[in-house]
Amino acid sequence: MLIYLDNCATTKIRQEVLDKMYECMKEDYGNPSSLHRLGLRSEKQIKQSRELIAKYLRVDSGEIFFTSGGTESNNIAIQSIINNSNKKNKHIITTSIEHPSVLNIMKNYEKKGFKVTYLNVDRFGSIDIEELKESICEDTILVSIMHVNNEIGTIQDIGRINKIIKDKNSQTLLHVDGVQSFGKIEFSLKTLGVDTFSFSSHKVYGPKGVGGLYIRKGLNLNPIIFGGNQEKGLRSGTENLHGIIGFGEAVKILNTRHTKEAEYVGQLRKYMLNKIKDSIEDIKINTDIDGNTSPYILNISFRNTRGEVLLHYLEDKDIYVSTSSACSSRGTEKSHVLKSIGLHNKDIEGAIRICFSYENSREDIDYTVAILKDSVEEIRKIMMR
Ligand SMILES: Cc1ncc(COP(=O)(O)O)c(C=O)c1O
């Protein structure tokens, strides 16, 4: 029995999505830019996927652009906004807990002479609204804030953040990395009022290598990738046709199931946490379970253990979790998110991230907690020696 609890890193593709992609690769392989019938058929399929995603997000289909994933969407949005800005303005605001696909862009702009303000977060990962207000100045080009944190699940109050930004400087744009919120929590992009919003297919049971960028109507961004002018010139390159079709299908399914699935995993998270609390001592819960967090994410430190050792103990029993984010967990660096919320090194070292999907059952959780208990005990014994 394989138990997959690393659904923030990526998700297992749904069977319906696979079937749709197979059909597309077999029959509809025409280049969407070709003028013949096969090309037109492919173009039509892309249009349908775009409409499905726009419908799900309740925005205009002209506001949706396909990319290769969340990383590329973040790069296009942030870099285009900065390139388009008045050259005199050199200030950007972000948070200390962003995904590397945002933080590393910021580091690059710092090298080019831009000033980047990294907002602090409290012990559960929420930004300080007052600090944001004080940080916005006349030459602030952009504020880039993630919607749901990928390591601890904190949801930022994007609607309020946007209002504060626009009240202070109506020229400052707001980009939101929505990779972990899209398909996972309830929101309306139009109500939030964001300028650009990134999302990704492989986090919502779709294929890898495809994502999307919402750009508010009226905001014209120049490309950072040049070529054959696909995606209205914003993202050149032959479209990932079967990826886009699969993504559309994944979102079509989400449209009918996401509320139920979120409720279900929320209950499962509570169930698991209670079981862990009942059976394992000396833990620290890093996700604000009763606060504003994604029901899909649970981050816990098991004191006097090592997260990566625990991960492999679980893996031995075919249970898959992660230490922090998939991108940084291979490195030797400690999680910047757990550092930012003020965790001591010992708690950072013993942290694991559990990310749920609709496919996980209570039996999976019972088994996982039993293995977790044994593994924690064993690791603690070895570490005490
Ligand atoms: C918050 C966040 N942003 C961006 C990304 C990058 O998305 P992708 O893997 O589609 O490039 C991830 C993926 O882990 C993420 O969790």
Side-chain angles (χ1 to χ4, degrees), residues 51-69:
E51 282 166 358
L52 283 167
I53 292 167
K55 184 176 163 215
Y56 178 70
L57 284 171
R58 288 171 279 162
V59 299
D60 201 287
S61 64
E63 296 174 305
I64 301 296
F65 294 80
F66 287 114
T67 68
S68 70

Side-chain angles (χ1 to χ4, degrees), residues 88-333:
K88 281 194 304 223
N89 292 350
K90 296 260 180 211
H91 182 228
I92 313 161
I93 299 174
T94 190
T95 79
S96 57
I97 60 164
E98 297 297 306
H99 186 266
S101 62
V102 169
L103 284 180
N104 287 334
I105 306 174
M106 299 301 169
K107 279 189 200 151
N108 196 39
Y109 277 103
E110 276 181 311
K111 279 190 209 145
K112 291 181 183 170
F114 284 76
K115 182 176 181 309
V116 181
T117 303
Y118 296 90
L119 299 175
N120 295 310
V121 293
D122 65 17
R123 67 191 188 94
F124 285 124
S126 293
I127 65 153
D128 178 349
I129 293 285
E130 284 309 312
E131 192 193 0
L132 168 68
K133 209 186 275 181
E134 278 160 27
S135 305
I136 303 163
C137 52
E138 217 177 293
D139 72 347
T140 309
I141 305 162
L142 165 75
V143 178
S144 181
I145 296 193
M146 70 198 324
H147 199 181
V148 167
N149 180 267
N150 51 303
E151 292 190 37
I152 52 175
T154 314
I155 303 174
Q156 305 293 344
D157 187 349
I158 298 296
R160 187 157 169 233
I161 287 169
N162 186 50
K163 189 164 180 328
I164 278 164
I165 295 168
K166 299 290 149 106
D167 282 352
K168 191 93 192 267
N169 182 349
S170 60
Q171 301 302 306
T172 304
L173 296 178
L174 172 62
H175 170 65
V176 172
D177 174 352
V179 168
Q180 297 289 349
S181 67
F182 179 83
K184 304 289 171 87
I185 63 164
E186 209 73 54
F187 62 89
S188 148
L189 270 188
K190 291 292 173 194
T191 310
L192 295 182
V194 306
D195 294 299
T196 53
F197 181 91
S198 303
F199 51 100
S200 182
S201 152
H202 72 104
K203 310 287 184 182
V204 293
Y205 319 107
K208 293 170 183 58
V210 57
L213 177 63
Y214 158 83
I215 304 177
R216 168 182 58 74
K217 201 185 278 171
L219 174 62
N220 294 315
L221 295 183
N222 291 323
I224 57 167
I225 296 167
F226 296 88
N229 286 336
Q230 289 88 346
E231 294 298 298
K232 291 191 270 181
L234 186 73
R235 200 272 181 185
S236 287
T238 301
E239 296 87 342
N240 174 1
L241 182 62
H242 51 275
I244 291 172
I245 304 310
F247 191 14
E249 186 65 18
V251 172
K252 187 171 146 195
I253 297 167
L254 274 184
N255 229 336
T256 57
R257 296 191 206 157
H258 80 270
T259 312
K260 270 209 174 110
E261 287 180 355
E263 267 169 33
Y264 172 74
V265 297
Q267 283 161 9
L268 207 60
R269 180 174 75 157
K270 272 204 183 118
Y271 178 76
M272 182 170 198
L273 182 59
N274 287 336
K275 270 195 111 77
I276 291 175
K277 276 183 184 165
D278 286 347
S279 53
I280 309 174
E281 284 180 353
D282 213 7
I283 59 169
K284 182 169 188 327
I285 299 139
N286 304 319
T287 297
D288 187 9
I289 193 105
D290 298 316
N292 202 17
T293 52
S294 161
Y296 285 85
I297 304 176
L298 178 59
N299 192 309
I300 308 185
S301 299
F302 296 89
R303 292 191 171 119
N304 303 313
T305 72
R306 298 291 294 246
E308 69 271 24
V309 178
L310 198 45
L311 179 151
H312 291 305
Y313 267 66
L314 295 175
E315 182 192 3
D316 259 1
K317 304 281 190 236
D318 240 0
I319 300 168
Y320 298 86
V321 298
S322 121
T323 45
S324 55
S325 67
C327 304
S328 56
S329 57
R330 286 260 169 82
T332 48
E333 266 183 45

Side-chain angles (χ1 to χ4, degrees), residues 17 26 40 50 82-83 115 147 172 187 254 382 385:
V17 174
K26 202 159 166 252
L40 293 180
R50 202 186 308 278
I82 295 172
N83 291 350
K115 182 176 181 309
H147 199 181
T172 304
F187 62 89
L254 274 184
I382 296 168
R385 272 188 210 147

Side-chain angles (χ1 to χ4, degrees), residues 24-44:
C24 167
M25 281 188 273
K26 202 159 166 252
E27 309 291 342
D28 292 318
Y29 45 82
N31 188 320
S33 298
S34 297
L35 293 179
H36 48 65
R37 204 165 42 233
L38 271 183
L40 293 180
R41 233 165 57 196
S42 297
E43 193 191 10
K44 200 170 148 206

